[in-house]
Amino acid sequence: MKKTLLALAVVAAGSANAGINLYDANGVKVDLSGAAEVQYREDYKPSNDAELRIDDADLAINTSVAISDQLSAVAGTAFEYEDGDVRNDELWAGFSSDFGTLTFGRQYMISDDSGIGKDYELGSESIDFVQTNGNEVVKYVYDNGTFYFGASHDIKDSGVIVDKNGVTHQDRDTSITDARIGYRVAGLDARVYYYTGDNVAGTTFEEKGYVDVDGYNVEAEYGFGAVGLAASFGQVEYKDSFGKAKLRANVYQVAADYTIDKTTFAIGYNNYDRRDKSGDNYAVYANVTQQLHSNVKVYAEIGDTDTKFDGRSADFGYVAGMEVKF
C-alpha cells in the first residue's frame, strides 16, 4: 500500500485515500476510505501468461478525537484483501498536534513512501527495502508544508508478517529502523530516506531467508506547470546472518510526466546496478492515465527490461487497468 507525501501532509499516520466523512460532532471525526483496482497484465516473466488480476483492494477507517485545541487522539484500522483473504494490515493509535503525529501499533513504516517512479507495474528495477510494515511500530511524522521529517521503529515483530509479495513469514526477532527528512520550495520536493533492518524476511536474492538490510534513497521531484520531473539514487546492501555481504546495489531512477486537462502521459527509466559479477539491469516504461473522476481513473502501460529469468529473455510487458477509490 504505497502512500503519497500529499496524503501524509493531510493524515500523517493513516490512509492515503481522501475518504468519506461518517461522523463529525463534539470533536470526534470518523472517516471511511477504500480502493479497488483491477488490471489485465502481461509481466516480464516468460513463464507467466497474461492475466486479469486484482491489484488493490483496501478498506480503512480513521478517527480523530479532539482532547484540547492543540492535541487530538488519533486511531485507524485498515484491511487488505487482494488475494481473497482479508488481512488486517493496520491497527494503530496515537496523538496528533502542531508538533507532529506519534502513533503506535500495526502500521506502515516511513520507508513505505520511498520511490519516485511513475509506473504502475513495469518499472521493476527499483530500490527494495524488503519489509516496510510491522506489528510493533512506533512512528513519528512532522510536516509544516515546507519542512518535513519522520522516523519509525519496529521494536520486535512478535507475530506473523506478510511481505509485499504476499508471502507469510513467522517472527524471527525482526527489528527495523527507518527515517526521512525532506524540504519543499517553489515546485521542488527533495528528501532522503534511510533504512536499517535485522533479521528481515525475504529479499531479492534469498526469497525465504532472513537477512540484514541497510540502505538509503535520495529523491527529488520538480513540477512546473503541466510538467513533472523526478529522479532518485539509492544504495542497498543485504547480508546473511553471518554478516557476509550477499548483494550490494546502486539503484537509479528517472521519470517525467505531462498532463493535458485530465490526461497524463508518463515515461521512466530504472537501473539496478549490482556491484558484483551479475552486472546491472534496466527497465523502461511509458503509460497514459485518464482521470474520469477525482476518484476514478483508467490507464495503460507498456514496458521492457533486459533482466533474464532462468536464462531466458524477458517478455514485453503491458498493463491496462482501472482504479476506483473513495
Side-chain angles (χ1 to χ4, degrees):
M1 181 185 291
K2 178 66 72 174
K3 316 290 189 301
T4 65
L5 292 177
L6 176 60
L8 289 175
V10 178
V11 183
S15 170
N17 297 334
I20 298 171
N21 181 253
L22 300 179
Y23 182 82
D24 188 351
N26 302 318
V28 179
K29 295 181 180 180
V30 180
D31 295 317
L32 174 69
S33 61
E37 184 174 359
V38 179
Q39 300 174 336
Y40 185 72
R41 181 186 72 170
E42 171 70 63
D43 64 16
Y44 291 136
K45 292 184 179 180
S47 59
N48 291 348
D49 295 327
E51 61 177 347
L52 184 66
R53 63 188 291 266
I54 297 173
D55 180 62
D56 192 16
D58 305 306
L59 188 66
I61 299 175
N62 294 326
T63 185
S64 173
V65 181
I67 297 174
S68 68
D69 292 339
Q70 292 78 34
L71 181 67
S72 295
V74 293
T77 186
F79 300 88
E80 288 186 350
Y81 40 95
E82 286 91 343
D83 299 321
D85 297 324
V86 177
R87 181 174 71 89
N88 177 233
D89 61 330
E90 293 187 59
L91 182 58
W92 47 264
F95 298 95
S96 180
S97 72
D98 293 339
F99 300 101
T101 301
L102 179 65
T103 52
F104 310 87
R106 182 181 304 125
Q107 55 189 317
Y108 286 86
M109 304 184 72
I110 294 293
S111 54
D112 189 65
D113 300 301
S114 179
I116 56 88
K118 299 180 183 296
D119 63 298
Y120 287 99
E121 294 291 333
L122 301 175
S124 61
E125 300 298 330
S126 58
I127 197 161
D128 184 5
F129 289 137
V130 187
Q131 181 180 317
T132 57
N133 63 325
N135 291 315
E136 299 183 32
V137 175
V138 179
K139 178 177 174 182
Y140 171 75
V141 176
Y142 173 78
D143 192 332
N144 67 8
T146 300
F147 170 78
Y148 55 99
F149 169 80
S152 53
H153 176 64
D154 190 6
I155 299 173
K156 175 186 174 183
D157 274 314
S158 57
V160 171
I161 284 293
V162 180
D163 67 22
K164 68 175 187 178
N165 298 314
V167 179
T168 300
H169 305 275
Q170 185 60 44
D171 160 50
R172 191 185 168 185
D173 294 340
T174 300
S175 179
I176 300 170
T177 301
D178 61 8
R180 174 190 63 228
I181 186 170
Y183 187 74
R184 306 184 190 96
V185 59
L188 176 66
D189 186 339
R191 62 262 181 187
V192 179
Y193 287 86
Y194 169 75
Y195 181 102
T196 181
D198 296 328
N199 293 317
V200 178
T203 72
T204 54
F205 72 93
E206 196 171 353
E207 289 289 336
K208 297 181 180 179
Y210 290 83
V211 295
D212 297 338
V213 183
D214 292 285
Y216 68 87
N217 207 39
V218 181
E219 306 174 0
E221 295 183 273
Y222 183 66
F224 54 99
V227 178
L229 304 175
S232 70
F233 170 76
Q235 290 187 329
V236 64
E237 180 180 77
Y238 307 104
K239 299 178 181 179
D240 62 18
S241 57
F242 298 101
K244 180 181 178 181
K246 285 285 188 178
L247 175 64
R248 296 178 180 177
N250 297 331
V251 184
Y252 310 84
Q253 291 183 274
V254 292
D257 62 32
Y258 178 69
T259 301
I260 305 175
D261 194 17
K262 296 183 179 181
T263 305
T264 300
F265 302 89
I267 58 174
Y269 172 85
N270 300 346
N271 185 282
Y272 198 104
D273 180 13
R274 293 169 176 82
R275 294 156 60 187
D276 56 25
K277 294 181 181 180
S278 61
D280 64 340
N281 296 103
Y282 73 83
V284 60
Y285 59 88
N287 59 57
V288 57
T289 302
Q290 182 68 35
Q291 200 76 39
L292 303 178
H293 181 275
S294 59
N295 287 14
V296 181
K297 66 181 179 182
V298 293
Y299 56 85
E301 180 173 73
I302 57 174
D304 192 25
T305 180
D306 66 346
T307 302
K308 300 292 184 180
F309 298 91
D310 296 324
R312 301 168 62 188
S313 297
D315 284 344
F316 183 78
Y318 58 85
V319 179
M322 177 179 183
E323 181 188 51
V324 180
K325 63 182 182 179
F326 58 86

